[in-house]
Amino acid sequence: MSMDPTVEQAHCRRTAALAVEVGRRTGVPLAPLEQAALLHHALDPFRQSSGLGRLAWQVVAGHDGRRIADIVQMCNLIDEQMEGLEFEFKETAAILDEIETFAVFEGFDPHLVDIVRTLRCGPLEFAALLPVEARMAGQVFRALRVEREYELEELETLALHDPSLAASLLRVANSALYGRPQRASTVARAIACIGVVASRKIMLGAAMRPVFASAGLAGIWTHSLSAAPFCSALAERTGLLTPEEGMLFGLVHDIGAIAIQFLPRESLKAHRNLLDGGCPTTYVERLLLGVDHGQIGAQLLAGWNFPEAFVEAVRFHHQPERSESALASMAFLAEFWSGLDEDIASFGRIDACLDRVGITLEALVELGRDDAVLRALKAVA
C-alpha cells in the first residue's frame, strides 16, 4: 500500500531539512542534497531498483553523489523512527544508536550519525537558567494556583510587589471592556472594578507574559492566553478539572517552551533551520535536546509546587499515549484545536485523546470560545 501523498510530502520535507543540516557540516552541495531528499520517495523506478544511491547519482556525479545518497538514506531512517514514536517510544540517543547499527546493512557511512549527534545539546539545567521574570511568575503561581475565595487585599498586596501585575490590572480596568466613566487610578480600585475572580485571571496571565517576552516567545504567550479559556471550557465539559483549574492549566501548559532560547548558538541556529524546513516543534526539540517542551515544563512546574496531576499532564501533553492522565489528552486536544501543528500529524492520536477525555470532535470544535477578560489582557498588552 502506498503512503498518503500529504504524509509522504511531510516526511520528505523533514528528511530534507535534516539532510541539509547534516550537509552544512560535511561540505556537500546543499541544493542537490535537498533535491535528492525531497524526491527520495517520489521516483518509484529508483526506489524499487538501486534505492537512494541511484537517485543521488542521477542528481550529481562523482564523490558528492555517493555522499548525498548516504546522508539522505540516514536521514530517511531517522525520520521514520521519529514518526514511529507514537507507537513505540524510544529515547533520541537510542534511535541514533540503532541507525548507526543499520548502516552496516543499509550500506551508508555510519560516521554520519556522529554528525547528527553534534547537533544535540548536553544536559541543561533549565530552572537555573530562567530569567528573573520567571521566578516572579513562580511566586504568583504558588500564591494563586489554588482555587478559593480571595480577598481584594490579598490580590492588591501581591500585585503591588510586581509593577507588571499592577499595570495589567489598571490597563484592563480602564479598557473598553469595562467602560468606566472615571479611570481607576489605584490597584485596589482596579480590582474592585474588575472583580476578584477576574483579577486573579489577569494576574495569572500577566505573570506569565514577561517570561515569554523575555525569552522572545510572545507568540507562545498569546497562544497560552487563547488556550486558557478553551481548557477551562473543556474542563467544565468533561469534569476533569474545575473551570478555574482548567484556565490555569491552559496558561502554564507550554511554559517549557522558554527552553529553546537557552540552546547554544549553533544549536539554536539548527533549531530554526529545521523548523523553517518543515519539522514540527516537538520533533526538533527531541532531536536536539532529547526532550520536548512538555517534559521541560513539567520540571519547572514541579519546582513551583504545582499538583502532581498538573505536572504529569504537562509532561506528556505531546505524548499522551505514554500516560494514563486524561489531563494530558485534554492538553493535546487543546494544542490540536489551536492549529499550531507542534507534532507530526496523527489522526489516531487525536481519536485516542477524544475517547480518553470523553468528547466528540464536533463538541470539541464547539467549545472554542474566547474569555472576555483574557481577551482584554491580550488587547492592552
Side-chain angles (χ1 to χ4, degrees):
M1 182 180 295
S2 62
M3 188 185 296
D4 179 273
T6 303
V7 173
E8 182 174 293
Q9 289 167 11
H11 160 70
C12 290
R13 285 196 303 272
R14 294 191 302 270
T15 299
L18 181 55
V20 167
E21 279 308 296
V22 174
R24 294 182 202 279
R25 290 157 176 80
T26 59
V28 302
L30 297 185
L33 173 60
E34 183 177 30
Q35 183 182 10
L38 288 171
L39 295 176
H40 78 274
H41 275 316
L43 302 178
D44 286 339
F46 296 124
R47 185 169 59 201
Q48 293 172 2
S49 55
S50 302
L52 298 173
R54 180 170 176 181
L55 171 59
W57 279 101
Q58 293 293 320
V59 177
V60 294
H63 175 74
D64 286 336
R66 180 68 264 168
R67 197 66 166 165
I68 284 173
D70 283 2
I71 293 172
V72 174
Q73 192 163 11
M74 176 192 67
C75 293
N76 172 68
L77 290 172
I78 291 174
D79 188 76
E80 288 177 349
Q81 291 285 310
M82 297 292 282
E83 275 188 309
L85 293 182
E86 174 187 351
F87 308 103
E88 181 184 4
F89 180 78
K90 300 175 185 176
E91 300 291 346
T92 307
I95 290 176
L96 296 181
D97 289 344
E98 286 187 15
I99 298 298
E100 193 168 27
T101 63
F102 292 165
V104 176
F105 306 101
E106 299 289 341
F108 64 85
D109 182 0
H111 296 297
L112 287 172
V113 179
D114 288 331
I115 296 175
V116 179
R117 291 191 179 106
T118 65
L119 299 176
R120 308 192 66 220
C121 298
L124 297 175
E125 182 54 56
F126 294 110
L129 295 173
L130 288 178
V132 172
E133 293 86 353
R135 299 188 182 98
M136 183 62 203
Q139 294 175 21
V140 174
F141 285 134
R142 279 193 292 270
L144 298 181
R145 68 175 174 79
V146 177
E147 183 183 352
R148 63 174 176 82
E149 293 292 332
Y150 288 89
E151 298 293 334
L152 185 152
E153 292 77 11
E154 288 182 87
L155 300 184
E156 180 188 21
T157 298
L158 184 59
L160 289 175
H161 279 85
D162 182 359
S164 69
L165 298 185
S168 294
L169 289 167
L170 288 165
R171 288 193 193 106
V172 174
N174 292 318
S175 69
L177 177 64
Y178 290 94
R180 287 173 55 88
Q182 293 183 330
R183 294 180 63 82
S185 57
T186 68
V187 170
R189 289 177 182 172
I191 295 173
C193 169
I194 298 169
V196 171
V197 173
S199 293
R200 175 175 170 269
K201 287 184 182 182
I202 291 167
M203 292 173 69
L204 287 168
M208 191 171 67
R209 178 179 178 268
V211 180
F212 289 106
S214 65
L217 295 170
I220 298 295
W221 177 73
T222 301
H223 160 66
S224 297
L225 282 181
S226 297
F230 182 78
C231 285
S232 178
L234 189 54
E236 183 176 24
R237 176 67 175 265
T238 61
L240 294 173
L241 295 171
T242 68
E244 286 289 292
E245 289 172 331
M247 190 270 310
L248 177 58
F249 182 63
L251 283 175
V252 302
H253 77 285
D254 266 350
I255 191 70
I258 61 176
I260 64 172
Q261 294 302 310
F262 299 123
L263 295 179
R265 180 178 299 177
E266 283 302 310
S267 296
L268 186 58
K269 184 177 180 181
H271 177 275
R272 291 170 179 163
N273 289 339
L274 290 168
L275 287 180
D276 291 344
C279 298
T281 300
T282 56
Y283 179 106
V284 178
E285 291 167 349
R286 290 170 196 149
L287 189 63
L288 299 184
L289 297 171
V291 294
D292 62 40
H293 64 265
Q295 294 161 281
I296 296 166
Q299 295 176 27
L300 301 179
L301 294 185
W304 291 351
N305 299 321
F306 267 66
E308 179 55 35
F310 270 51
V311 174
E312 171 85 356
V314 169
R315 177 178 291 116
F316 293 114
H317 79 275
H318 283 292
Q319 303 171 336
E321 64 280 351
R322 295 184 62 199
S323 172
E324 296 298 321
S325 169
L327 290 182
S329 293
M330 186 181 86
F332 178 84
L333 292 174
E335 294 284 4
F336 165 70
W337 168 81
S338 75
L340 281 186
D341 296 328
E342 293 187 338
D343 301 280
I344 294 176
S346 169
F347 292 110
R349 183 179 269 166
I350 293 167
D351 287 340
C353 288
L354 289 169
D355 288 342
R356 175 166 287 182
V357 170
I359 195 170
T360 65
L361 182 59
E362 292 74 18
L364 184 77
V365 173
E366 290 175 4
L367 284 176
R369 63 177 184 266
D370 275 341
D371 180 288
V373 174
L374 294 181
R375 187 169 65 246
L377 180 58
K378 283 193 288 186
V380 300

